[in-house]
Amino acid sequence: MGIRFSSLTPSSVPAMGLRELPESCVANILGYMDPPQICQLATLNRNFRAASFADFVWESKLPTNYDVIVRKFVTNSPKILSKRAIFAILCRLNTFDDGNKKFWVDKSTGKLCLCISSKGLSITGIDDRRYWNRIPTEESRFHTVAYLQQIWWFEVDGEVEFPFPAGTYSLFFRIHLGRASKRFGRRVCNTEHVHGWDKKPARFQLWTSAGQYVASQCFLKEPGKWSLYHAGDFTVENGNASTKVKFSMTQIDCTHTKGGLCLDSVLIYPSEFRKVKAFLNCS
C-alpha cells in the first residue's frame, strides 16, 4: 500500500522555526545578504549568530586582494584572523603615510575607498602665511584643512601608491569656497574673500603607472558648502600589484588673483558609487 499524500494537510505538518534551521543552512542564507543585514540577522538567535562567523560568508564581502592589503597596511593585529574580523578591521579608517592618507572598506558594498589629506599634497606657497594657512575644523576626517587667502599661481599636486582591487575608480577634490566656523554653536561661513574662481576654470589632471591619462576642467562654484570636484577615472586590472596614481589641480592664469578657498582632501571611490551615492554628483 502506498502513502496517501492527500491526507497530509498544512496543519498536520510540523512547522520548522528559525531555531531549528541547521547552522550550515543559515550560513548559506547569510551569504546572499550584505554585511549590515548579516549583522542584524545575527541577533535573532544562537544559530544565526554562530553562522554569521563562518569564513565563507565574509570572504565574498572582502576585496578580492584583501590579503595583500592586510599584509602591507594593517599593523598591530593578530596573525590569524577570521574573515569577519578582517572585514571589521578594513571597515575602520586605516591610516598610512604618517597619518596623511586613510583607506577603508565600505560596509555595505565591501568596496575600497581612500582619501589623502591636504597635508599629504604638494601645494605651491603652502609655507608662506601670506597665501595659505592651516586651520582646524570638525568638518574634515583629518581635523584640519588648508585655507587659501589669496594667490596668483594656484597649483596642487599629489600621488598615492596602493594595491587597489581590480575595478574602475573616480578621483575627487574636496573643496569649500569660503571659511566656515562656529558662532554660538551655529555654523557660519565667511565668503568675503572668495574671488577669481569665476574668471577661469580650474584644470584637473590624472596619471597612472599603467599609462592612463585624464584631463578635465570646470569652474568652482557654490560658496558656503563642501563640493567634490571630479578629476577623472582610472581602471585597475591587477589588484595584486600596487598602482601609482598622480593627480593635480591648477588655476595658473596670472592675470588675476584667486582666494577664499578651503582644500580638505582628495578622495578615491569606486566609480559605481556615483550611481548610488548622491554626494558624489555635486560637481
Side-chain angles (χ1 to χ4, degrees), residues 16 20 23-24 39 61 71 96 115 151 218 243 252 260:
M16 177 179 284
E20 285 73 41
E23 186 179 312
S24 59
C39 294
K61 316 303 176 188
R71 186 170 63 252
F96 63 106
C115 63
I151 205 167
C218 72
T243 298
I252 54 177

Side-chain angles (χ1 to χ4, degrees), residues 16-34 37-58 61 84:
M16 177 179 284
L18 292 177
R19 293 179 184 276
E20 285 73 41
L21 283 174
E23 186 179 312
S24 59
C25 179
V26 174
N28 281 320
I29 295 172
L30 295 181
Y32 290 96
M33 307 293 178
D34 60 35
Q37 291 172 328
I38 294 172
C39 294
Q40 289 176 349
L41 291 173
T43 64
L44 287 177
N45 58 45
R46 290 181 179 179
N47 270 6
F48 273 78
R49 177 174 171 75
S52 72
F53 282 87
D55 272 354
F56 78 86
V57 170
W58 290 96
K61 316 303 176 188
R84 174 174 167 148

Side-chain angles (χ1 to χ4, degrees), residues 2 10 53 71 80 82 130 146 148 151 167 213 219 227 266:
F53 282 87
R71 186 170 63 252
I80 301 176
S82 68
R130 293 174 300 171
L148 172 65
I151 205 167
Y213 172 74
F219 287 95
S227 297
V266 168

Side-chain angles (χ1 to χ4, degrees), residues 17-283:
L18 292 177
R19 293 179 184 276
E20 285 73 41
L21 283 174
E23 186 179 312
S24 59
C25 179
V26 174
N28 281 320
I29 295 172
L30 295 181
Y32 290 96
M33 307 293 178
D34 60 35
Q37 291 172 328
I38 294 172
C39 294
Q40 289 176 349
L41 291 173
T43 64
L44 287 177
N45 58 45
R46 290 181 179 179
N47 270 6
F48 273 78
R49 177 174 171 75
S52 72
F53 282 87
D55 272 354
F56 78 86
V57 170
W58 290 96
E59 187 153 18
S60 63
K61 316 303 176 188
L62 288 164
T64 53
N65 64 339
Y66 71 89
D67 53 332
V68 177
I69 297 171
V70 170
R71 186 170 63 252
K72 289 187 175 182
F73 294 97
V74 177
T75 58
N76 301 322
S77 62
K79 291 185 178 180
I80 301 176
L81 290 169
S82 68
K83 298 301 187 291
R84 174 174 167 148
I86 293 173
F87 186 86
I89 289 172
L90 293 181
C91 284
R92 299 199 297 252
L93 285 176
N94 296 276
T95 62
F96 63 106
D97 190 19
D98 297 324
N100 291 324
K101 298 182 176 74
K102 298 178 185 283
F103 75 88
W104 67 98
V105 164
D106 180 73
K107 293 179 181 179
S108 298
T109 64
K111 302 294 184 180
L112 186 130
C113 310
L114 187 147
C115 63
I116 304 146
S117 79
S118 59
K119 289 184 176 180
L121 304 173
S122 175
I123 303 174
T124 299
I126 189 63
D127 296 323
D128 194 326
R129 296 290 296 275
R130 293 174 300 171
Y131 305 128
W132 290 91
N133 283 296
R134 301 280 187 190
I135 58 175
T137 176
E138 298 176 357
E139 298 183 0
S140 169
R141 286 187 178 89
F142 299 95
H143 308 295
T144 183
V145 298
Y147 177 69
L148 172 65
Q149 299 180 86
Q150 180 172 287
I151 205 167
W152 292 89
W153 183 286
F154 176 86
E155 183 172 8
V156 178
D157 300 287
E159 66 177 57
V160 62
E161 188 168 357
F162 196 87
F164 292 96
T168 302
Y169 296 85
S170 297
L171 187 144
F172 303 87
F173 280 78
R174 187 169 188 255
I175 300 290
H176 184 288
L177 293 183
R179 180 169 179 169
S181 60
K182 282 194 174 181
R183 185 177 299 165
F184 303 113
R186 298 185 62 183
R187 185 184 191 270
V188 294
C189 184
N190 183 348
T191 59
E192 65 176 322
H193 295 120
V194 177
H195 69 283
W197 305 108
D198 57 344
K199 296 182 181 298
K200 290 290 179 68
R203 179 174 172 81
F204 302 92
Q205 296 182 88
L206 181 155
W207 304 260
T208 74
S209 52
Q212 300 171 70
Y213 172 74
V214 181
S216 61
Q217 60 183 23
C218 72
F219 287 95
L220 307 189
K221 51 189 178 181
E222 296 188 272
K225 60 177 288 188
W226 287 102
S227 297
L228 293 178
Y229 289 92
H230 181 217
D233 297 346
F234 63 94
T235 300
V236 175
E237 295 183 355
N238 180 11
N240 293 319
S242 291
T243 298
K244 179 178 284 190
V245 183
K246 294 185 177 182
F247 46 86
S248 71
M249 174 183 174
T250 57
Q251 215 282 34
I252 54 177
D253 185 334
C254 292
T255 61
H256 65 280
T257 61
K258 61 282 297 180
L261 173 146
C262 283
L263 171 61
D264 172 39
S265 57
V266 168
L267 300 108
I268 298 176
Y269 286 112
S271 295
E272 64 199 73
F273 278 21
R274 300 189 73 195
K275 298 178 182 178
V276 296
K277 309 262 188 190
F279 68 89
L280 293 180
N281 294 300
C282 61
S283 64

